[in-house]
Amino acid sequence: MKDVAPDPWGLVRMSTMVGSVTRDRYDELVKLGRDWVATMSGVQWRLGDAAMEIEPMRSYGGAHPSGKGDLFTVSEAIRMFAEDVGLAYKALFPLA
């Protein structure tokens, strides 16, 4: 009975449309949306793992925190990675 839905007053009515699509198409779109959300979540973890490989956790101040010589600061390295993959720095580190 998936086409049965209560209205705001608790009465049951038959609905064959959700917005401008059929209930079946709506259900297909929900399944696709859930797949997309799972994919986004997986991608976010992979990007984070890559960023952590580029710049592993350091103690406060870390080795070479000023980026002297050939070394980048953590911020510079992650900013470069974000830009090179087509993201804003804040997309990788929203709280930074």
Side-chain angles (χ1 to χ4, degrees), residues 19-63:
S20 296
V21 297
T22 65
R23 183 60 188 217
D24 287 341
R25 179 62 181 151
Y26 174 82
D27 291 341
E28 289 172 8
L29 292 170
V30 167
K31 183 187 178 314
L32 285 170
R34 288 180 179 159
D35 291 345
W36 297 332
V37 167
T39 298
M40 285 182 353
S41 177
V43 167
Q44 289 169 330
W45 280 104
R46 285 185 222 140
L47 286 167
D49 289 346
M52 290 299 295
E53 185 176 338
I54 293 166
E55 281 297 343
M57 295 295 288
R58 305 178 188 178
S59 58
Y60 183 77

Side-chain angles (χ1 to χ4, degrees), residues 6 11 14-16 24 28 30 43 59 63 70 79 81 90-91:
L11 302 172
M14 298 298 284
S15 69
T16 57
D24 287 341
E28 289 172 8
V30 167
V43 167
S59 58
D70 294 348
R79 189 174 308 278
F81 175 66
K90 291 279 187 183

